[in-house]
Amino acid sequence: MWNKVKKLFSSTAFNIFLIFSLAGLVMWLTLRKDGDQVFAILKNVSIPAVLGLLALMIFERLVLGWTLKLECNQTYPRYTLKQGFINAYTAGLFCNITPGASGGQVAQGYIFRKQGIPVHSSVGILWLDFIVYQTTMTIFVLLLLLLRFSYFYSNFSRFFLIVIAGFAVSAGIIFFLYLLANSPKFYTWLTTKGIMIAHKLHIIKDVKKSLADLDKALYEFSKEIVVLRNHKKMIVGLAAGDLVRLLIYYSIPYFCAIALKIEVHPSQLLDIIALSSYVAMINAFLPMPGSAGGTEATFILMFSTIFSRADAASIMILWRLVTFYQTLVVGSFVFMWGKMQKDVPLDAEKELPRTYASETLQEELESI
């Protein structure tokens, strides 16, 4: 029974159906009360402003493509911005349609392979991308929490513990990896007592496999730590690119309000950026593909404190269209176009190892 459920949730078609079903449920519950007001607000939308928002989100993917190119060019100088752009949209697409964003890096590895980068290199590139992005995001959100802590704690006391917990999870991941790579004592404890405790608590079933996976992950992570220390100029570039992406994504609700001709003051921009980051922190606890349903509901609850409920719902609809659904549509076309391109010959491995990609998702990537 459990295997059938896992297989169902690994199906791309089912996950897309789930995304639209959950989002539709939230929309129905929202519009049931404020439908007339929301539709009236949406009718006032500025089409040129919406096109500008779409262009801004495409630029955000282009920035990610540039950072991927920057990483790849250390070993593969012929890797182009266009290839990075294809890879960036592929990441966004499969993060959105797989539970817990679990399929993004798998799909990126697939595209990297088609672009002539073997798996041992793509794994390192993706590790480095994850390390820098996670570190940049953690520092950025920490600053937002410190700058607006008293205001948001007093206004969002019912949500703030979840926000803090989401931040703690994000920060804990990167802290854990750095500690693992730099503390032999911690590594020794984890690979002996730590894993055995997890096994006794039934968190880990296969001790040998868990040790092998941990060793492999630590090996890849340790290699990228060396890159971090020896390529500081590149790391600054990657962090700057990630910061630009975060600023774009978190400020989109502000520009959505402007596009909908909802009254908003420039002094509210920092609050809106902070609120957007808090929504993202809460989404860390939502395992559904694209955090569907929970994202829409959380957004409305959060933003209803600085806008009316109808205004918040209207902003959410436009925000979700230009961020999430735009990525689904454009990402699908970009992925299909990238998939149809002729494979660049590999120097080494011809296939992704099964430890790197699940058989189900790998087969679906091949068949799409």
Side-chain angles (χ1 to χ4, degrees), residues 130-350:
F130 171 79
I131 295 166
V132 178
Y133 178 79
Q134 194 76 11
T135 303
T136 304
M137 182 186 70
T138 299
I139 294 171
F140 183 62
V141 174
L142 177 61
L143 289 174
L144 291 173
L145 287 170
L146 293 175
L147 285 171
R148 307 299 290 160
F149 181 85
S150 58
Y151 171 75
F152 282 110
Y153 183 74
S154 61
N155 287 276
F156 301 104
S157 56
R158 53 181 173 167
F159 302 117
F160 216 72
L161 287 178
I162 303 176
V163 172
I164 295 295
F167 170 76
V169 169
S170 298
I173 290 171
I174 201 69
F175 176 75
F176 173 80
L177 289 172
Y178 277 115
L179 183 63
L180 196 60
N182 292 285
S183 174
K185 289 184 179 180
F186 179 68
Y187 174 76
T188 301
W189 178 88
L190 185 66
T191 54
T192 53
K193 294 182 181 179
I195 285 187
M196 291 311 298
I197 290 172
H199 178 64
K200 289 180 180 179
L201 294 173
H202 303 289
I203 298 172
I204 290 174
K205 293 182 179 180
D206 191 330
V207 174
K208 289 184 178 179
K209 184 178 182 298
S210 297
L211 283 170
D213 290 343
L214 180 62
D215 282 338
K216 182 181 177 183
L218 183 59
Y219 171 71
E220 295 295 341
F221 183 79
S222 297
K223 284 197 305 181
E224 302 317 314
I225 290 293
V226 175
V227 175
L228 289 171
R229 290 168 179 164
N230 296 333
H231 297 81
K232 293 181 181 179
K233 186 176 179 180
M234 180 190 71
I235 299 307
V236 170
L238 295 177
D242 288 335
L243 181 59
V244 168
R245 290 175 54 215
L246 290 168
L247 284 169
I248 290 173
Y249 188 80
Y250 291 155
S251 64
I252 288 293
Y254 175 82
F255 296 112
C256 285
I258 293 175
L260 291 167
K261 300 173 185 176
I262 294 170
E263 186 176 351
V264 62
H265 194 272
S267 62
Q268 292 178 286
L269 179 58
L270 181 60
D271 289 341
I272 289 173
I273 289 173
L275 277 178
S276 297
S277 73
Y278 300 162
V279 171
M281 291 298 101
I282 293 175
N283 286 349
F285 292 97
L286 302 176
M288 305 309 292
S291 300
T295 294
E296 292 86 352
T298 302
F299 186 98
I300 293 172
L301 289 171
M302 283 280 198
F303 279 83
S304 291
T305 58
I306 58 175
F307 296 102
S308 71
R309 183 178 172 83
D311 285 347
S314 303
I315 293 169
M316 181 276 293
I317 291 170
L318 184 56
W319 169 74
R320 200 66 166 151
L321 284 172
V322 299
T323 56
F324 183 79
Y325 291 103
Q326 171 271 143
T327 302
L328 285 185
V329 175
V330 179
S332 296
F333 284 105
V334 170
F335 172 72
M336 290 301 297
W337 189 85
K339 187 177 183 296
M340 291 187 294
Q341 300 305 298
K342 185 178 179 181
D343 290 10
V344 177
L346 289 171
D347 294 331
E349 292 100 323
K350 300 295 183 183

Side-chain angles (χ1 to χ4, degrees), residues 87-104:
N87 202 298
Y89 253 112
T90 296
L93 171 65
F94 284 92
C95 281
N96 284 350
I97 63 174
T98 52
S102 58

Side-chain angles (χ1 to χ4, degrees), residues 62-93:
L62 190 65
V63 173
L64 175 56
W66 175 77
T67 60
L68 290 173
K69 175 184 180 297
L70 199 62
E71 294 174 66
C72 292
N73 285 164
Q74 298 298 313
T75 309
Y76 302 91
R78 293 185 179 180
Y79 194 83
T80 66
L81 179 60
K82 183 174 76 172
Q83 289 175 310
F85 181 71
I86 293 170
N87 202 298
Y89 253 112
T90 296
L93 171 65

